[in-house]
Amino acid sequence: MKGAAIRPNAGEGPIELRRRELLAGGLVAAFIGGPALAASETPRKGGVLRLGLAGGWTSDTLDPGAFADTVTVVVARALYGVLVEAGPDGRPKPGLAASFEAKNGARDWIFNLRKGIKFTNGREFTATDAIFSLNARRGSDFPSACRTLASVVEIKKIDKYQIAISLAAPDADFPIGLDDPRLPMVPDGFTDWRRPVGTGAFRLERFDPGERVVLKRNPDYAREGRGHLDGAEILVLNDPISRLEALRAGQVDVVNRVDSRVAAAIDNGSQFKLVRATSSRHFVAAMQVDKAPFDNADFRLALKYALDRDQMVKTLYAGYGAIGADHPIAPNNLYFNTEMGSQRRDPERAAYHLKKSGRADAKIVLNVSELVAPGAVTFAQAVQMGAASIGVRADVVTALEAGYWDTTWLKQPFVVGHWRGCSGVTEMLAMAYAAGAPFNETHWSDDKFEKLLADARGEVDEAKRKPYLWEMQRLLREEGGALIPVFADWLDARHERVGGFAPHAGFELDNGQILEKAFLKS
């Protein structure tokens, strides 16, 4: 899939072999060695942080409804605030809402807003602004795969600093779904996105789509422990070699989307540091369980046990990834089924299930396109090799990029998709595996799964909801139609003088919040 919420790596495309060899070889030496910099970790006020980022385009706008990639996400995080933030541990944390609580079995939610928060136009942030901001993003035209507001029935003002949100059905993950840069808090009645007014740590000075963004500190920013910088500058550098060259030459302080083939060299250098975060990003080879031969559970299991997942992590990500278990919950997730663990290659079990299926002579076609995400074809070829290892012929058909999403994905019985994942675990499960869900690539439909999903969404107690989520993962692994062998890491890099920049599983660049949190040590 193009990505849940934000499309990762979009537009960077495949890199020709010669350039990849240069990246993996010629630049590696530049990041090894050099004098170490002694600097304090104590946050220091002042300075301008320079970022060289992939994920900026001439079509970019500052309208959250049109956000497509990393640059606009980072800018939005700098300019605006959201009600709830996703913590590094995957739990919802206070944002512009100081606290929140569930009522009526997670069908209703109360949000208590921070007091003393000002917009950059001088107005105080209140419940009226929060209600306007959320209502402006409701409706079927809101282009987010993780449609947090889709189930909202009513948003009411309780008092100046408190709102109540009623849902059509219980949703224990509702608060964390509000950590979406496309749900910014703006003043009541605000519509002019060309002139942003927010509560973030910065004001906009210059916005040249696809080229450059300049930000200046917001003197009224009120979040304690954040907003250390005087300013920030983003240079759009979609070429991976140009990004690393700019970092090495001291033209920028931070870059994103480090090629995994040079990541180790950066991490071993003394002036440059890799910022690595495990994530929920994954390719999926989706088998439609109502189409032969994928309608046979043993045949699906045979393909799952045939995959050499350890080799796939090395081939796709040079080791910067994690082994998956054929469901979308990554090992770093607090709800990952640790009892079941990750899947591993087992040729004997693969052969057993293939024989039991009676489909050993099946010939299958795996459809893919590089439009899915960089590395998609390599992923498909790895799945093909796994099938071949147990005697199943799998042909890889590379579709024309222009029509893949419209003519192939969701239509052919065996396709490659790509997901960034959602903040809420039940949101991800509901979006791609609930019966009748529009993005249900595998046509998975199971009454037990549906009951477990409903129970999990209605339970806010972590200990009580864990068994529901663990059992759903077991069902998908043993009976589902998704081949999810590996998860990719986010890989950013920084100069050693940059502090306050931590790994975050949600998204690259500290979940896009780098400008709020980072500081310069010298």
Side-chain angles (χ1 to χ4, degrees), residues 313-438:
V313 169
K314 295 175 184 177
T315 300
L316 288 166
Y317 308 120
Y320 290 92
I323 303 297
D326 300 316
H327 58 72
I329 312 306
N332 68 302
N333 193 289
L334 72 151
Y335 290 117
F336 178 73
N337 187 333
T338 55
E339 186 177 89
M340 184 174 69
S342 298
Q343 182 71 284
R344 281 299 191 274
R345 184 171 184 262
D346 191 329
E348 291 185 3
R349 296 185 74 172
Y352 166 79
H353 285 290
L354 182 61
K355 182 178 180 180
K356 186 180 177 182
S357 74
R359 309 288 176 88
D361 295 331
K363 296 180 176 62
I364 56 180
V365 175
L366 179 56
N367 296 274
V368 68
S369 168
E370 277 293 349
L371 183 67
V372 173
V377 172
T378 302
F379 170 80
Q381 291 167 344
V383 173
Q384 179 187 42
M385 291 176 63
S389 72
I390 59 171
V392 174
R393 176 177 172 180
D395 293 330
V396 172
V397 174
T398 304
L400 294 175
E401 294 187 2
Y404 183 78
W405 297 116
D406 296 325
T407 63
T408 305
W409 185 65
L410 297 180
K411 295 180 174 60
Q412 295 298 322
F414 197 23
V415 299
V416 173
H418 187 268
W419 292 83
R420 197 203 93 178
C422 293
S423 299
V425 62
T426 55
E427 188 72 17
M428 181 70 229
L429 291 167
M431 181 169 49
Y433 299 94

Side-chain angles (χ1 to χ4, degrees), residues 52-217:
L53 302 184
W57 315 100
T58 56
S59 58
D60 285 346
T61 78
L62 293 172
D63 181 349
F67 286 174
D69 216 330
T70 299
V71 170
T72 46
V73 169
V74 171
V75 172
R77 296 290 200 188
L79 297 176
Y80 306 106
V82 292
L83 289 181
V84 179
E85 297 178 2
D89 60 357
R91 292 179 173 87
K93 307 291 184 184
L96 292 180
S99 63
F100 41 89
E101 61 178 321
K103 300 287 186 180
N104 191 23
R107 189 183 294 269
D108 299 310
W109 288 87
I110 304 298
F111 292 86
N112 301 297
L113 308 182
R114 293 183 187 270
K115 298 178 181 179
I117 300 294
K118 289 185 179 181
F119 290 107
T120 49
N121 64 1
R123 281 178 45 183
E124 184 183 15
F125 169 64
T126 68
T128 301
D129 305 305
I131 292 171
F132 168 81
S133 300
L134 293 174
N135 280 333
R137 297 291 100 188
R138 290 171 64 186
S140 59
D141 58 340
F142 180 52
S144 175
C146 297
R147 296 187 62 238
T148 301
L149 303 183
S151 64
V152 172
V153 174
E154 184 182 22
I155 307 176
K156 295 188 302 183
K157 177 180 177 180
I158 298 177
D159 60 35
K160 186 176 181 181
Y161 301 108
Q162 191 177 64
I163 64 173
I165 301 179
S166 298
L167 310 177
D171 186 357
D173 283 327
F174 179 75
I176 203 167
L178 296 175
D179 179 40
D180 187 327
R182 287 181 281 194
L183 296 177
M185 295 296 102
V186 294
D188 180 30
F190 176 80
T191 58
D192 189 359
W193 297 106
R194 297 171 301 174
R195 299 173 178 82
V197 177
T199 63
F202 294 89
R203 300 170 181 262
L204 182 69
E205 289 286 301
R206 179 172 178 174
F207 180 65
D208 298 328
E211 297 180 12
R212 184 173 178 235
V213 183
V214 179
L215 302 164
K216 188 175 182 179
R217 188 175 74 87

